[in-house]
Amino acid sequence: MDGGDLVGGGPTGGDLAGGDPTGGDLAGGDPTGGDLAGAERRVWAAMPPGSRSALSGLSSADLRSLLLSVARDRAATARPSEVVRRWREDRFVRPARADPRVLARVEARMWQLLPADVGGVELSPVVPVGTCSAVAPVSQNRIVTTMRASEVLSDPTNALAVEAALRRRRQGEVHLAAAHRVLRAQDFGGDASAHFRLFALVSSARDTGSGDTQARLLVRHLTYWRTVLAELAPAAAPQLHVTTFDDEAVRERLADTVRPAFDAGVVPLVDEPERSRGRGYYTGCALRITVLDGSLEIGDGGLTDWTARLRGDAKERCLVSCLATERLVDGISR
């Protein structure tokens, strides 16, 4: 969820990748769950004494059975008119406004533009509970948790990182991609949808020292996004942005390896030293993807320690990035 809105927090690109611990543009909401704490206190105060300890003492299977029983009882009382009202008013269930035929054409071309060594992954709608919060500073309050020890996928980069960590056990460096509609629990305000599509990339490789691995992964991801923007949005003033976070080796490789690869072309690579969003979520370097001269953020990403933590190996290096295809289509149409 992220450092932005796309990788982990929002429909676009700040929280696209995940859930920006600072609140980001798309991450939104209080990462500490402050708003929910008051509701929790109110609910527990209304329960009979000892309820909390009794429920906390239940096994996972028994708690799941209890919650399923409550859900079944509530579903049995639901009336058709209430379903229609919820469909109209609930931001979690309202259909997206985007034309699926346009999105399908855009995403089909994005798949075609991927390098041949990138593995495509069709992710499940749910992932193990804690998939995001176990490796990144993301509040579970931002995630739709199910009653079956799972959570609705809110960030494909986290899920791809788990898959990459597993594949790294039997092969060299891993490059994966997925396109998925994600659901976020935080309220983005206005009539913004709680769900949106993300096209995500995750790369994981062994560190070779001096920031060389990170630079190679950065060139790979940035080259792909530059190709996508140059073909699909050349008239929308697309830009790639890069920020370094307290990693001198990465800073040096950006200067002598990454930036020289992007000196020319329709999509400039712009330094963004003032960015602080994503610090603590990303490690060493963060990316942004924008159109309309930087005014519309459509993607986000950065270096993370996720596969290192998932594999228990500090020498693992991981780069994640993603783009909100609905925002890309919106930027192209303006």
Side-chain angles (χ1 to χ4, degrees):
M1 294 172 130
D2 116 296
D5 286 322
L6 295 177
V7 184
T12 82
D15 286 326
L16 292 182
D20 177 7
T22 67
D25 294 336
L26 299 174
D30 178 5
T32 67
D35 293 340
L36 192 58
E40 288 174 347
R41 288 193 295 270
R42 174 177 54 78
V43 171
W44 287 120
M47 298 286 283
S51 296
R52 184 164 191 165
S53 59
L55 290 172
S56 299
L58 292 177
S59 67
S60 296
D62 287 345
L63 179 60
R64 185 162 57 247
S65 297
L66 174 63
L67 294 175
L68 289 171
S69 175
V70 172
R72 184 174 61 248
D73 291 345
R74 293 197 169 191
T77 65
R79 295 171 297 180
S81 60
E82 293 175 346
V83 173
V84 173
R85 179 185 60 79
R86 286 285 306 278
W87 186 271
R88 184 177 62 248
E89 300 176 358
D90 191 336
R91 62 191 174 88
F92 288 103
V93 303
R94 286 196 302 264
R97 293 188 296 270
D99 185 339
R101 292 162 294 194
V102 175
L103 286 177
R105 288 196 296 270
V106 168
E107 292 182 0
R109 186 56 184 150
M110 292 174 69
W111 281 111
Q112 292 170 348
L113 293 172
L114 275 173
D117 63 346
V118 178
V121 181
E122 185 67 20
L123 294 168
S124 169
V126 296
V127 293
V129 67
T131 294
C132 291
S133 61
V135 296
V138 178
S139 170
Q140 195 66 24
N141 293 343
R142 295 184 174 191
I143 297 165
V144 179
T145 306
T146 77
M147 292 181 285
R148 298 180 182 273
S150 60
E151 61 190 49
V152 179
L153 185 66
S154 62
D155 185 352
T157 60
N158 289 96
L160 287 177
V162 177
E163 180 66 18
L166 290 173
R167 295 192 187 194
R168 282 282 291 128
R169 294 179 177 179
R170 60 183 185 272
Q171 67 184 84
E173 62 183 56
V174 171
H175 308 287
L176 302 175
H180 199 92
R181 180 164 293 277
V182 302
L183 180 67
R184 303 272 174 85
Q186 71 264 37
D187 190 348
F188 299 117
D191 61 349
S193 176
H195 57 87
F196 46 91
R197 288 192 65 79
L198 294 179
F199 196 104
L201 304 180
V202 168
S203 295
S204 184
R206 185 76 174 172
D207 182 36
T208 57
S210 302
D212 290 340
T213 299
Q214 295 94 313
R216 181 163 46 78
L217 298 182
L218 283 165
V219 169
R220 168 183 278 268
H221 281 223
L222 289 169
T223 297
Y224 172 71
W225 295 124
R226 180 179 64 176
T227 301
V228 167
L229 295 171
E231 175 163 329
L232 299 180
Q239 295 179 355
L240 299 169
H241 307 255
V242 61
T243 302
T244 54
F245 294 139
D246 308 322
D247 190 319
E248 191 57 34
V250 171
R251 193 186 310 275
E252 292 174 357
R253 296 296 79 75
L254 278 170
D256 61 30
T257 303
V258 178
R259 289 193 185 94
F262 296 87
D263 281 342
V266 68
V267 184
L269 180 61
V270 180
D271 286 325
E272 198 169 41
E274 70 279 6
R275 172 177 174 168
S276 61
R277 188 185 64 196
R279 183 183 292 273
Y281 185 89
Y282 295 128
T283 59
C285 181
L287 313 174
R288 281 201 316 136
I289 307 169
T290 67
V291 293
L292 307 180
D293 288 318
S295 64
L296 178 63
E297 183 171 307
I298 64 172
D300 195 72
L303 294 166
T304 75
D305 62 356
W306 298 348
T307 53
R309 298 177 68 179
L310 290 164
R311 297 196 68 209
D313 184 348
K315 298 294 287 183
E316 282 292 308
R317 298 293 175 259
C318 181
L319 176 64
V320 308
S321 61
C322 67
L323 182 148
T325 52
E326 284 151 294
R327 281 201 181 180
L328 174 61
V329 169
D330 179 50
I332 294 172
S333 64
R334 291 192 188 185

